[in-house]
Amino acid sequence: MKKFYVTTPIYYINDIPHIGHTCTTIAADIIARLHRQNGEEVFFLTGTDEHGQKVAECAQEEGISPKEYCDKIAPRFSEAWKSLNISHDFFIRTTDPRHEKIVKKLMQKIYDRGDVYKAKYEGWYCIGCEKFLTETDLVDGHCPLHPTEKTVKKSEENWFFKLSKYIPQIINLIEDDKCNYVFPGSKKTEVLAKLKAGVNDISLSRESVSWGIPLPWDKTQTIYVWFDALINYYSATQFLENKKDFWPANLHILGKEIMWFHNVIWQAMLLSAEIEIPKKTYTHSFYMIDGQKMSKSLGNVISPGQLVDLFGVDGTRYLIARSFPSDNDSDVGIERFKEKYNADLANNLGNLVSRICKLGEGLKISNLNPSKSPFDKGDFVKLVDELRFNEAINLIFEKYIDKSNTRLNEVTPWRLETNDPTRIAVLTECAENLREAATYLEPIMPEVAKKILGQLKGEIKPMENALFPRIR
Ligand code: MSP
């Protein structure tokens, strides 16, 4: 059976899940479900990033140990994903000793390869990003992604990784259209430009951060949290049973602020350790909230729970897919979500389902033709597989849902007698269209799709409740 392995970034444990994390996780879930529907054996991994200075500071503020802090917070993410019907196969935590063991092993390989050296590092460190910034990265002395947090000057003796050694090889890999692992094209151009501008080696350990995995060859230092975190994608396949064949990953999905780590540093680490590199990475853009960057201090953070309370699980999944920030940043907000929900789901899809089920109650419809699988028709699958969810949904709405609503409005079956052949024909045709649409939409709205397919199995059954109640 064909294998498919998809991942999300592992989220920092100090934050609460918000719509930014939600969009990456839902995107990965849609892809995982699509590939399962296609008969592939899927491994879908998500989890939490639990080491590093940031976590240690949060634990200290609460007066508990870092591990206690992680055990308390990690469930917030796993529960959020459960509430959104995320179908991940494993939730990895970087404090899992099985992960730690593989991290040490991989780092040792890098050391044995002769790709490390000790040197002094001095620079501006952003705790929010857990990375060093250059003078040119700073805006008014602050990290542009964390303008309210302090950027600290750090100077320490660290172990360095010979990143620069692998740059020519990585440029070749990214430029090779056959391998084509940086997706979409706009992000590939961006990474290549940065690679060609010149790349310095980076430090792989920390002297002053004790909350981390000790370096195997120098116990006075801990492994830089990003090296530890990236290895999660590989470690899960090694310590879980029967998952080794899933490596190399087919797809890492991530946001643009961590593109350098995933498209350059991770590849260099794997090349150094002589491990196969992932087949593809997809870098998406950002959600903006009503034109502003989302931040705790602005108080405009949208949580997954807020969305589920308003729009239900599948309503939320749909709205996220519809507004997914693919190539460009996407501006969203609760009011816009409400408008979209009412227009697409309550008034269009929901209304179509309720009209068909009411008018067509008891009408027999043919069995689903098994040869008519959505996967025979490449366009939708191709769009979803490229995370172009908005275009994919448009395709289904135009082809089946809008078309059926228009047909119903033209033929007005509610004005015809129950046994009028024209009425029967139009309702059957629309029911079959709806069933087709539901099969396509299943990876995006699994429960709604199941419900629609249940309503239309063998004969049209009456609906008990509106699928998508209107929201004011
Ligand atoms: N822990 C690292 C990742 C390590 S992976 C080996 C990290 N964690 S994070 O909690 O900050 O999550 C980053 C991810 O959250 C981004 O890559 C992106 O997927 C998502 N987003 C965070 N804010 C976002 C938006 N405003 N919009 C869309 N997604 C964003 O970085």
Side-chain angles (χ1 to χ4, degrees), residues 60-288:
Q60 202 175 13
E61 272 167 33
E62 292 206 12
I64 51 178
S65 75
K67 182 66 172 67
E68 277 171 322
Y69 177 81
C70 294
D71 290 345
K72 188 174 128 192
I73 309 288
R76 284 196 196 165
F77 280 89
S78 47
E79 277 157 18
W81 304 152
K82 206 163 146 197
S83 78
L84 282 162
N85 199 7
I86 301 299
S87 63
H88 53 285
D89 298 289
F90 189 66
F91 188 95
I92 191 167
R93 297 182 51 191
T94 51
T95 48
D96 186 325
R98 296 171 298 176
H99 163 78
E100 296 186 359
K101 202 168 142 196
I102 287 159
V103 170
K104 285 186 195 157
K105 232 164 112 181
L106 199 147
M107 295 306 288
Q108 184 66 45
K109 273 192 176 173
I110 294 178
Y111 178 87
D112 294 343
R113 189 90 197 270
D115 283 343
V116 306
Y117 59 93
K118 211 166 186 184
K120 194 174 164 99
Y121 195 93
E122 196 172 81
W124 295 101
Y125 194 77
C126 170
I127 302 172
C129 293
E130 290 280 14
K131 71 172 187 186
F132 280 108
L133 302 173
T134 61
E135 291 284 347
T136 50
D137 289 331
L138 300 178
V139 178
D140 297 331
H142 291 279
C143 163
L145 286 178
H146 299 95
T148 55
E149 289 180 30
K150 59 180 192 292
T151 313
V152 288
K153 187 107 183 180
K154 269 199 182 185
S155 164
E156 41 173 66
E157 186 90 335
N158 289 150
W159 287 92
F160 273 67
F161 170 54
K162 291 184 188 167
L163 178 63
S164 55
K165 173 176 162 189
Y166 294 98
I167 298 305
Q169 212 173 331
I170 292 175
I171 292 179
N172 282 342
L173 280 167
I174 297 183
E175 279 182 336
D176 179 354
D177 282 335
K178 278 201 275 343
C179 141
N180 199 16
Y181 72 66
V182 179
F183 214 79
S186 55
K187 301 292 190 293
K188 171 172 168 173
T189 313
E190 218 179 302
V191 177
L192 277 173
K194 204 171 159 196
L195 278 165
K196 288 179 180 172
V199 177
N200 295 324
D201 292 341
I202 61 162
S203 81
L204 61 74
S205 66
R206 293 287 178 270
E207 189 180 40
S208 56
V209 180
S210 60
W211 180 235
I213 306 175
L215 254 193
W217 64 89
D218 176 359
K219 304 278 185 294
T220 66
Q221 305 238 344
T222 54
I223 296 167
Y224 173 33
V225 62
W226 264 102
F227 277 66
D228 165 1
L230 286 164
I231 297 172
N232 92 87
Y233 301 131
Y234 174 71
S235 75
T237 65
Q238 303 303 298
F239 70 72
L240 293 173
E241 232 174 280
N242 300 327
K243 294 287 183 255
K244 286 204 173 63
D245 291 352
F246 281 97
W247 192 261
N250 295 77
L251 180 64
H252 291 322
I253 303 180
L254 52 126
K256 62 180 180 181
E257 85 288 22
I258 54 176
M259 154 160 116
W260 187 252
F261 287 103
H262 283 80
N263 290 325
V264 178
I265 298 175
W266 182 218
Q267 276 67 22
M269 288 166 66
L270 292 167
L271 288 171
S272 169
E274 298 180 294
I275 297 171
E276 263 188 277
I277 61 163
K279 294 193 180 136
K280 187 165 158 184
T281 68
Y282 183 95
T283 305
H284 64 74
S285 295
F286 264 15
Y287 269 142
M288 304 289 282

Side-chain angles (χ1 to χ4, degrees), residues 11 32 39 57 79 100 173 207 229 240 242 287 330 335 389 403-404 414 435:
Y11 302 107
E57 284 179 6
E79 277 157 18
E100 296 186 359
L173 280 167
E207 189 180 40
L240 293 173
N242 300 327
Y287 269 142
S330 170
E335 283 312 310
F389 304 130
K403 195 171 129 197
S404 296
W414 49 89
R435 196 172 55 184

Side-chain angles (χ1 to χ4, degrees), residues 10-12 18 20-21 24 49 233 255 257-258 284 287 294:
I10 47 170
Y11 302 107
Y12 283 133
H18 58 62
H21 312 124
T24 320
D49 188 353
Y233 301 131
E257 85 288 22
I258 54 176
H284 64 74
Y287 269 142
M294 184 168 43

